[in-house]
Amino acid sequence: MTTRRLYYDDAFLREFDAEVISSEPAVHGHGRRVCEVVLDATAFYPTSGGQPHDIGRLDDAEVLDVRDEGEDIVHVVDRDFEPGKVHGCISWPRRLDHMQQHTGQHLLSAIFQERFGLPTVSFHLGIETSTIDLRGGEPSETILEGAERAANEIVFDDRPVTMRYGTAEKLAQLGARKEVERGGILRAIEIEGVDLQPCGGTHVKRTAQIGMILVRKCSKVRQDWRVEFVCGRRAERVARADARLLRGVAERLNCATDAVVAAADRAVSERDAHFKNAKTALQRLADLEADAALRTTTPNSAGLCVVTRFFHEDTQPEYLTRFSTALAKEEKTVA
Ligand SMILES: [Zn+2]
């Protein structure tokens, strides 16, 4: 029996009715008792292709995990389950977020490859941000900004995102970006005029639904370049957090937000100058105090000059080192 994947044809399906095919108790991490349920059809997306699984409910049971197992999709739920009919409901905010990041990834990967010759070798959809690993030369700041702008142009164009079906050969003829070695009829996602790629994930219907795309940073990971990005609601969240952070820094530096870099530079050079001055003054004080101590100490019967001094507990250890070093320069002196 094969689970019919309802999300294949309609990624916007949030609720569905299905028949329970099998239901078996199992024990998951931390000894939690769960139940593994297979249905004849499901709208729940299982973890695969870099996109995490959906969560939601099957009747009153909470869906904790969804796994792809060959032809079946296994739902891990938090309570025992009877055979029969079931009503499923997926958690929509999480799914929409995943579709925004995932479709945004198609768009960014297509632009990095077509315009800048940088193919994507892997994709990870994380909790806070997502990443793609690009292979090739280091993408400059200009390339990163250029890709971000080009991707957002396509978002503003509100182009349709559609599905195409065909063999790997047929899709390659149509210009599919990624070659797949699987046989049979494949499903490919097309962003009009930009991208055609075989993919079994869930995607938005039009590019405007991706929302704003922000490229956050780029770092070297082994031989590839890891580009971090956020789309849609996540972009809104990070832009808001960045603005709050910038305002906080500006308030502390007592300047306008667009003057923080200059103000921070000034604060750092002032700090460095004060540090240097304080060091010089500390050395001068240690030398003078050592001089005074030697002048007021009488050598003992063995001709040794023993200097004893009690310091207040807030005296810097660095000062003690300087003071004792200055004393030790004199012959026959014990500090
Ligand atoms: Zn996809």
Side-chain angles (χ1 to χ4, degrees), residues 51 102-103 105-106 189 197-203:
Q51 184 179 330
H102 186 132
T103 316
Q105 178 262 316
H106 276 253
I189 301 306
Q197 193 195 171
C199 183
T202 55
H203 310 83

Short mmCIF file of all heavy atoms in Angstrom, two decimals, residues 51 102-103 105-106 189 197-203, ligand 1:
data_model
loop_
_atom_site.label_atom_id
_atom_site.label_comp_id
_atom_site.label_asym_id
_atom_site.label_seq_id
_atom_site.Cartn_x
_atom_site.Cartn_y
_atom_site.Cartn_z
N GLN A 51 13.96 19.89 3.63
CA GLN A 51 12.79 20.55 4.27
C GLN A 51 12.29 19.70 5.45
O GLN A 51 12.02 18.51 5.29
CB GLN A 51 11.67 20.71 3.22
CG GLN A 51 10.45 21.47 3.78
CD GLN A 51 9.34 21.67 2.74
OE1 GLN A 51 9.60 21.78 1.55
NE2 GLN A 51 8.11 21.72 3.20
N HIS A 102 11.79 27.42 1.31
CA HIS A 102 12.13 26.44 0.28
C HIS A 102 12.01 27.02 -1.13
O HIS A 102 12.89 26.84 -1.97
CB HIS A 102 11.24 25.20 0.45
CG HIS A 102 11.61 24.07 -0.45
ND1 HIS A 102 11.75 22.79 -0.02
CD2 HIS A 102 11.87 24.05 -1.78
CE1 HIS A 102 12.09 22.03 -1.04
NE2 HIS A 102 12.15 22.76 -2.13
N THR A 103 10.91 27.74 -1.39
CA THR A 103 10.76 28.33 -2.73
C THR A 103 11.79 29.44 -2.92
O THR A 103 12.34 29.61 -4.02
CB THR A 103 9.32 28.86 -2.93
OG1 THR A 103 8.39 27.90 -2.42
CG2 THR A 103 9.03 29.12 -4.40
N GLN A 105 14.69 29.39 -1.73
CA GLN A 105 15.94 28.68 -2.03
C GLN A 105 16.04 28.33 -3.52
O GLN A 105 17.08 28.52 -4.14
CB GLN A 105 16.03 27.40 -1.19
CG GLN A 105 17.27 26.56 -1.46
CD GLN A 105 17.00 25.41 -2.41
OE1 GLN A 105 15.99 24.71 -2.29
NE2 GLN A 105 17.89 25.20 -3.35
N HIS A 106 14.93 27.85 -4.11
CA HIS A 106 14.93 27.55 -5.56
C HIS A 106 15.37 28.80 -6.33
O HIS A 106 16.20 28.73 -7.23
CB HIS A 106 13.52 27.19 -6.03
CG HIS A 106 13.15 25.76 -5.82
ND1 HIS A 106 13.06 24.85 -6.85
CD2 HIS A 106 12.84 25.07 -4.71
CE1 HIS A 106 12.70 23.66 -6.38
NE2 HIS A 106 12.56 23.78 -5.07
N ILE A 189 9.59 21.57 -10.32
CA ILE A 189 8.98 22.85 -9.95
C ILE A 189 9.52 23.92 -10.89
O ILE A 189 10.73 24.02 -11.09
CB ILE A 189 9.35 23.20 -8.48
CG1 ILE A 189 8.85 22.11 -7.54
CG2 ILE A 189 8.78 24.56 -8.09
CD1 ILE A 189 7.39 21.76 -7.67
N GLN A 197 13.31 22.74 -11.72
CA GLN A 197 14.11 21.82 -10.93
C GLN A 197 13.29 20.66 -10.39
O GLN A 197 12.24 20.90 -9.79
CB GLN A 197 14.74 22.58 -9.76
CG GLN A 197 15.82 21.77 -9.12
CD GLN A 197 16.27 22.26 -7.76
OE1 GLN A 197 17.01 21.57 -7.12
NE2 GLN A 197 15.85 23.41 -7.31
N PRO A 198 13.77 19.42 -10.58
CA PRO A 198 13.05 18.28 -10.00
C PRO A 198 13.05 18.43 -8.48
O PRO A 198 14.09 18.70 -7.90
CB PRO A 198 13.88 17.06 -10.41
CG PRO A 198 14.72 17.54 -11.54
CD PRO A 198 14.96 18.99 -11.32
N CYS A 199 11.89 18.29 -7.86
CA CYS A 199 11.81 18.46 -6.41
C CYS A 199 10.50 17.87 -5.89
O CYS A 199 9.46 18.01 -6.51
CB CYS A 199 11.89 19.94 -6.04
SG CYS A 199 11.88 20.22 -4.26
N GLY A 200 10.58 17.19 -4.73
CA GLY A 200 9.39 16.58 -4.15
C GLY A 200 8.84 17.38 -2.98
O GLY A 200 7.96 16.92 -2.28
N GLY A 201 9.38 18.58 -2.76
CA GLY A 201 8.98 19.39 -1.61
C GLY A 201 7.70 20.18 -1.83
O GLY A 201 7.00 19.98 -2.82
N THR A 202 7.40 21.06 -0.88
CA THR A 202 6.20 21.90 -0.99
C THR A 202 6.64 23.34 -1.28
O THR A 202 7.66 23.80 -0.77
CB THR A 202 5.39 21.87 0.32
OG1 THR A 202 6.23 22.23 1.40
CG2 THR A 202 4.82 20.49 0.56
N HIS A 203 5.86 24.02 -2.12
CA HIS A 203 6.24 25.36 -2.59
C HIS A 203 5.03 26.27 -2.61
O HIS A 203 3.90 25.80 -2.71
CB HIS A 203 6.82 25.27 -4.01
CG HIS A 203 7.89 24.23 -4.14
ND1 HIS A 203 7.60 22.91 -4.35
CD2 HIS A 203 9.23 24.32 -4.05
CE1 HIS A 203 8.72 22.21 -4.40
NE2 HIS A 203 9.73 23.04 -4.21
ZN ZN B 1 11.62 22.36 -3.95
#
